[in-house]
Each structure stands twice: as C-alpha cells, then as structure tokens.
Amino acid sequence: MTEDGLAVKMNVDRETPNTQILEKSLLIKVLGKDVPFSVCSLELRRQWSRYEKFHLTTLVLDWILCSFSNAESMEEVLSGGPWYISNHIIGIDKWSTFFSPKSLKGLTSPVWIRFPFLPQSCWDEENIARIASVIGTPLFLDGNSLRWGKREYARVCVRINLDKKLPKGVWIEGIQGRIFQKVEYEKMTSLCYHCGIIGHSKNSCPELNSIKVAE
C-alpha cells in the first residue's frame, strides 16, 4: 500500500516493459453506431495491408488497440487518412499512460470539410486555408476546388481534435464585407448539429435532453 494507506502501489518494474510494448500502439475509436469488431478488423486490415504486421485488440467501450511491429508503420497510419469504417470516420491517437476510454481527449482525425456558397473572390489556396485553419490544421486542398469549370463548394482536408466542439460556420471578412461562411463535414455520422460535439446525434444530445427535463 501507499504511505497514506489509500491506494495499492504498483510494481513499476513490471509496468515499464508493458509500456515499452505499447509505445508502438495506436488507440482507435469508430465514431459510429453498432460497428462490430469483426467488421472493423477486416476493414483496417484491408486498408492498412501495405504496412508492416499489426495486431488488433478490443478494449472497453468499443475502443480498439492497434499494436504495430515497428514505429514507422504506426507513424504512417497516424499521419495518413482520412480513414473510414462502414462510412464512419475513425479517430486515432498514440497510446499513452493517460488514456481514458471515457474521453475522446487527444483523439484526432483528418476530415474533409466543404465551404458551400464561398464568395468567388476567396477561391484561392491561401484564403481557403485561412478559413479551414479555424476548424483544424489544413492538410491538403482538393485540386478540383480551384478549377473554373466547377465551383459548387471548396473542399479541404483538415486534422481536427475530436473532443472539441465543431462550429457550424466561420465569420469571414474581405472585399465583400463580413459574412458567415457555412461549414459542412463529410461522413461525420455521429456529429451533433446542435452542440457540435462528436459522439452522439442531435436526437440524443444531452443539452437538448436537459432542456426538455427542465421544461
């Protein structure tokens, strides 16, 4: 026991080799409902077949631990994507001793976003990236967005933190004045369009449910 007698003291010498094994592991969360582990396993093995050998382990609350044979493959998967399973986006983070299955903290994912009705004067790589940087870290722009033949919406891939509130739009200011630019998120099936948090739909939003109870 610890000196205050309140906790069981762990054997750090035994913990250390466990953490060394886990240093080449990723934590994966499928942000969708009722996706069996068997489906997740098949999809990940198909999409990541070019990488070195890896092992998948089921964890509590539908989390998956993916352990790689080498750090290079792990880093390639972490920096790649976007990755989807059954049309659901998946969040990925490196394993750490601070991991909690009850939280999405630290979980990130590349996500395609769209800017419909973007003013024509803003259709260039720098201005689109400026708007996207409010949502997340811009990674790359869909080349079709800069073609004059089709400009229904600008499309850019950004890396977002999945535990943070995602805005419905962004205020921008240019030669056309200040306007509200709407943002659309591709394949975000578990994004609540009321509170902006990933992990539940608008129908099961805790904020709306609390309002109904108060009424």
Side-chain angles (χ1 to χ4, degrees), residues 127-169:
N127 280 315
I128 293 174
R130 284 191 178 194
I131 302 172
S133 65
V134 178
I135 311 300
T137 304
L139 299 176
F140 44 86
L141 179 70
D142 184 347
N144 292 323
S145 296
L146 299 180
R147 294 180 180 178
W148 284 97
K150 184 178 181 181
R151 289 196 170 183
E152 298 176 6
Y153 51 79
R155 186 170 182 259
V156 59
C157 186
V158 298
R159 181 172 293 277
I160 62 172
N161 294 320
L162 298 175
D163 64 323
K164 293 184 177 180
K165 186 174 182 178
L166 298 179
K168 299 177 183 178

Side-chain angles (χ1 to χ4, degrees), residues 49-192:
S49 61
R50 65 182 181 277
Y51 300 114
E52 294 291 335
K53 184 179 179 181
F54 58 86
H55 180 76
L56 299 171
T57 304
T58 57
L59 302 179
V60 67
L61 298 179
D62 298 323
W63 284 85
I64 298 174
L65 181 72
C66 184
S67 303
F68 290 85
S69 59
N70 65 74
E72 290 75 16
S73 295
M74 179 193 70
E75 292 291 347
E76 287 187 31
V77 169
L78 186 62
S79 61
W83 306 111
Y84 303 97
I85 293 179
S86 297
N87 213 36
H88 299 299
I89 195 78
I90 65 175
I92 301 178
D93 189 23
K94 286 184 179 180
W95 177 89
S96 78
T97 54
F98 301 102
F99 164 64
S100 171
K102 296 180 181 180
S103 171
L104 296 179
K105 186 175 179 60
L107 206 64
T108 67
S109 177
V111 173
W112 283 104
I113 60 175
R114 300 177 181 180
F115 300 134
F117 308 108
L118 181 68
Q120 294 301 310
S121 59
C122 300
W123 282 73
D124 61 84
E125 188 173 354
E126 181 178 347
N127 280 315
I128 293 174
R130 284 191 178 194
I131 302 172
S133 65
V134 178
I135 311 300
T137 304
L139 299 176
F140 44 86
L141 179 70
D142 184 347
N144 292 323
S145 296
L146 299 180
R147 294 180 180 178
W148 284 97
K150 184 178 181 181
R151 289 196 170 183
E152 298 176 6
Y153 51 79
R155 186 170 182 259
V156 59
C157 186
V158 298
R159 181 172 293 277
I160 62 172
N161 294 320
L162 298 175
D163 64 323
K164 293 184 177 180
K165 186 174 182 178
L166 298 179
K168 299 177 183 178
V170 177
W171 284 100
I172 63 174
E173 184 173 327
I175 60 176
Q176 75 287 337
R178 181 174 295 183
I179 64 171
F180 187 74
Q181 175 59 54
K182 183 180 178 182
V183 179
E184 297 177 345
Y185 301 87
E186 294 188 6
K187 297 187 177 182
M188 299 290 282
T189 55
S190 60
L191 172 63
C192 176

